Amino acid sequence: MIDENAYDVVVVGAGFSGLYAIHRIRQLGLRVRCFEAGDGVGGTWYWNRYPGARVDIESMQYSYSFDDGLQQEWRWPEYFSPQQDLEAYANHVADRFGLRSDIELNARVNRLAFDERANRWHVSTENGHHVTAKYIVAATGSLDAMNLPPFPGLESFGGQWYHTARWPKEGVRFDGKRVGLIGTGSTGIQATPVIAQTAEHLFVFQRTAAYSLPAYNRPTDPAYEQAWKADYPQRRAKMFGHFAASYTENDQYRSVFDYSPEERQRILEEAWSARNGLLFMRTFSDISTNLEANEIVAEFVRGKIRATVRDPKVAELLCPTTYPIGAKRICMDTGYFEAFNRDNVTLVDVRANPLAEITPTGLRTTADEYDLDIIVFATGFDAVTGSLTRMNVTGLGGLDLREKWRDGPATFLGFLVAGFPNLFMIHGPGSPGVLVQMITGGEWQVDFVTKIIEDMERSGRQRIDTAPEWEQRWNIEVEEAAKRTLYNYADSWYVGANIPGKPRIFMIYIGGFDRYIQRCTEQVANGYEGFVFDESVPAAPR
Ligand code: NAP
């Protein structure tokens, strides 16, 4: 008799990678169930519905490549899509490929326990589901577990407060309200100008100034859309061979030192107004690897801030000086710096005068008190590992994933963790994750995992794992790649520095998406080198 609660594969998360994983696993003819915490699909783009939320990669490429019909029929109204359009796209994909019947919504997984004897994972959710599966695909996202620092007094606050990563679906009205916004990363920078439009007054509490580029978002030009659609297969193929999984027509760039100061200025001005977003960071080949080259570009960007913000003191405070440009994720904004020219926006320096406590009527820094009706926390995420460690995952011998990663995450190729058999992570620590265009990166990883599962099912192998030695080797590769860059010069979420007590380790493989594909592929081609199959495990009935 078939046990209805026994699946071949459980996918955790119905974000972009999770949706594609359901689709691919079904193609293998396996039984799959997906558990999703939200009451809709889209993952990051379901949860992050704060004002101004928008992707920073052009939508023609920040989209699925696996089905040409899909990419031909879908229309992106804007160059850089707002959250609403990305969520609509995720829903369209769920409907178009009939995925909903295999998705359980409102079902946050809160326990994943491996049963060694049965060779199956037990999956439990907060709302009482309990199923088993032979394989787990953890498509839990890199930026899911929100970071709400323990500000003293929050429970006493008499107004409303929100975290940007759990924004209410019905939205929030700011008109006539005094609003405090804490955090000036990508999220705070996008939210600021939108909140400023209607709030009576907006106080932006800044601890660290951020580098931000103008998004130049605009309606999609039909000719541009047509050029993409006519050339999609070729462009997608190039993306799979590109170090950032992205497509660009001009990757011919040279060292900043190959040019005179005047030429550099001209090239930077052109790049600044080229309206192609993050590609600005590739204007020269050494921006991310040479501090001196980096400072030239950083100073150019500071010059743009000074030219935009009228009050020189505010402008200076908004100029990032404590880390190299690009060592934290560069932000893209629509009118962020301009917002500080409004009478109803005040920048508060909480580096000089830290936040002391939340009070019943607002917020107190070590210097002043602020009366507030609404507090918005744009304080980021327990990134990359948080969504995995918060799930209560136990593997062989009851080993707890949090314990295993106490001194920092260890994985093999970003997919597997020794002692946690048959559990595959998508965008896990040690994978290129957020440093590449994530939909394409996720597609490739899902395909890779699906291929492994297919091979196992064909060969009758029951259990796949890796060994600590291979985790160490991979960790060294990840570390070596990071050392060649300037990423370690910033206290960012990339290195876990935003979460007190989190081990400081660069969690992402920055050696390039192309190189990563090569490394994964060669390990499999070399007879699954580094993967450990336990041949003693017999095939178990469901
Ligand atoms: P974030 O980059 O981690 O920024 C969090 C902000 O909160 C920082 O300014 C941080 O200051 C501040 N903060 C945290 N704790 C604080 C405290 N106790 N007191 C005062 N300030 C505090 O988080 P995020 O802005 O949500 O962005 C996270 C990532 O999500 C981005 O890097 C990006 O990858 C992604 N994202 C992308 C987009 C897009 O596609 N356009 C938009 C939003 C987010 P410090 O810097 O001093 O720690």
Side-chain angles (χ1 to χ4, degrees):
M1 202 175 75
I2 287 190
D3 177 354
E4 287 300 321
N5 288 323
Y7 292 91
D8 297 310
V9 186
V10 159
V11 174
V12 186
F16 282 90
S17 297
L19 289 176
Y20 181 52
I22 301 168
H23 178 64
R24 288 291 285 115
I25 290 158
R26 276 178 173 184
Q27 288 174 334
L28 298 182
L30 298 178
R31 260 190 106 217
V32 57
R33 192 82 189 141
C34 172
F35 293 102
E36 162 57 51
D39 74 353
V41 300
T44 289
W45 294 109
Y46 166 88
W47 293 106
N48 286 270
R49 48 181 76 240
Y50 60 85
R54 186 180 294 287
V55 68
D56 55 7
I57 295 171
E58 54 184 306
S59 293
M60 293 306 294
Q61 51 179 307
Y62 188 80
S63 45
Y64 289 116
S65 68
F66 70 88
D67 188 282
D68 196 47
L70 171 67
Q71 63 187 4
Q72 293 297 335
E73 82 202 6
W74 186 258
R75 300 216 52 208
W76 295 106
E78 296 177 54
Y79 200 80
F80 296 110
S81 291
Q83 176 273 334
Q84 297 85 333
D85 289 0
L86 286 152
E87 190 187 7
Y89 177 65
N91 277 283
H92 172 73
V93 170
D95 291 332
R96 192 186 195 281
F97 297 96
L99 305 177
R100 291 192 194 275
S101 56
D102 285 333
I103 302 173
E104 197 69 50
L105 297 172
N106 297 305
R108 179 174 289 282
V109 172
N110 61 359
R111 185 87 180 91
L112 275 182
F114 187 65
D115 175 344
E116 269 171 68
R117 275 200 294 186
N119 198 45
R120 296 188 70 77
W121 283 92
H122 287 258
V123 183
S124 309
T125 69
E126 267 175 16
N127 63 343
H129 292 284
H130 183 104
V131 303
T132 66
K134 181 171 172 186
Y135 307 99
I136 302 289
V137 176
T140 45
S142 301
L143 298 164
D144 172 67
M146 72 173 187
N147 170 37
L148 181 63
F151 291 108
L154 180 57
E155 67 296 338
S156 74
F157 183 54
Q160 302 151 271
W161 65 266
Y162 306 94
H163 192 287
T164 46
R166 294 291 179 269
W167 202 256
K169 268 186 157 172
E170 61 280 12
V172 177
R173 294 190 68 95
F174 296 104
D175 33 326
K177 307 283 190 200
R178 290 166 63 84
V179 183
L181 172 77
I182 301 174
T184 52
S186 300
T187 300
I189 278 180
Q190 288 187 331
T192 292
V194 184
I195 297 175
Q197 276 167 22
T198 52
E200 180 188 303
H201 202 95
L202 172 65
F203 296 90
V204 178
F205 296 93
Q206 172 189 277
R207 190 165 65 181
T208 309
Y211 295 95
S212 185
L213 312 173
Y216 298 118
N217 183 45
R218 51 205 185 271
T220 304
D221 172 4
Y224 157 83
E225 178 182 353
Q226 194 38 43
W228 264 92
K229 288 190 172 174
D231 199 26
Y232 250 137
Q234 293 78 1
R235 292 186 185 199
R236 294 295 194 190
K238 282 186 181 156
M239 287 159 74
F240 281 100
H242 187 264
F243 68 92
S246 57
Y247 172 79
T248 160
E249 276 164 14
N250 183 16
D251 246 352
Q252 300 300 311
Y253 49 97
R254 290 158 49 188
S255 163
V256 81
F257 303 109
D258 287 350
Y259 303 95
S260 70
E262 295 73 28
E263 282 173 323
R264 275 176 211 155
Q265 190 68 16
R266 180 185 52 75
I267 292 168
L268 282 167
E269 287 291 354
E270 270 173 25
W272 184 260
S273 48
R275 297 151 69 88
N276 57 8
L278 298 176
L279 288 182
F280 176 81
M281 284 304 290
R282 299 193 211 136
T283 309
F284 301 111
S285 57
D286 39 8
I287 300 179
S288 300
T289 51
N290 179 311
L291 268 180
E292 216 184 314
N294 186 282
E295 178 53 22
I296 289 168
V297 178
E299 188 51 24
F300 173 85
V301 173
R302 287 183 211 118
K304 292 292 178 190
I305 298 171
R306 293 183 187 111
T308 305
V309 180
R310 284 200 288 271
D311 182 328
K313 277 199 194 137
V314 176
E316 231 31 64
L317 209 50
L318 287 167
C319 282
T321 51
T322 53
Y323 64 96
I325 186 168
K328 287 186 183 190
R329 170 82 170 201
I330 192 114
C331 307
M332 281 186 37
D333 71 276
T334 302
Y336 174 65
F337 295 108
E338 292 82 346
F340 293 94
N341 292 332
R342 297 174 66 111
D343 293 336
N344 70 333
V345 178
T346 304
L347 182 67
V348 182
D349 178 4
V350 292
R351 165 85 51 196
N353 302 301
L355 295 165
E357 62 169 344
I358 312 277
T359 67
T361 55
L363 186 158
R364 193 171 65 74
T365 69
T366 52
D368 274 306
E369 260 195 76
Y370 299 85
D371 276 347
L372 302 171
D373 303 305
I374 299 177
I375 302 178
V376 175
F377 293 98
T379 43
F381 302 88
D382 180 357
V384 186
T385 52
S387 58
L388 295 155
T389 53
R390 292 181 187 192
M391 251 189 327
N392 293 311
V393 189
T394 50
L396 291 176
L399 178 62
D400 190 314
L401 187 63
R402 277 168 301 210
E403 189 54 31
K404 161 105 188 177
W405 284 354
R406 199 158 40 113
D407 298 325
T411 70
F412 179 51
L413 300 172
F415 286 108
L416 282 176
V417 185
F420 296 79
N422 294 6
L423 185 153
F424 303 99
M425 298 172 299
I426 308 298
H427 296 311
S431 77
V434 290
L435 288 177
V436 303
Q437 195 267 88
M438 288 189 85
I439 296 187
T440 302
E443 277 183 308
W444 188 85
Q445 290 186 37
V446 167
D447 282 340
F448 186 73
V449 165
T450 314
K451 174 80 176 62
I452 292 174
I453 293 176
E454 186 178 22
D455 281 359
M456 286 179 67
E457 292 299 300
R458 275 215 193 114
S459 64
R461 284 169 153 167
Q462 300 299 317
R463 184 180 293 181
I464 189 170
D465 201 339
T466 185
E469 170 209 345
W470 282 94
E471 290 177 328
Q472 279 159 23
R473 286 195 196 195
W474 184 244
N475 265 14
I476 290 168
E477 279 191 54
V478 173
E479 204 181 311
E480 289 298 319
K483 267 190 203 156
R484 293 191 285 271
T485 71
L486 302 179
Y487 278 94
N488 283 319
Y489 285 81
D491 290 334
S492 68
W493 56 262
Y494 289 137
V495 293
N498 63 332
I499 305 293
K502 196 165 172 174
R504 193 184 172 107
I505 284 184
F506 194 78
M507 296 185 285
I508 305 156
Y509 178 70
I510 197 181
F513 180 55
D514 45 350
R515 172 83 183 132
Y516 176 73
I517 291 179
Q518 188 196 336
R519 289 291 293 105
C520 293
T521 313
E522 68 196 15
Q523 293 297 135
V524 169
N526 290 340
Y528 272 103
E529 194 181 16
F531 297 82
V532 176
F533 293 97
D534 188 337
E535 310 286 357
S536 68
V537 180
R542 271 193 198 141

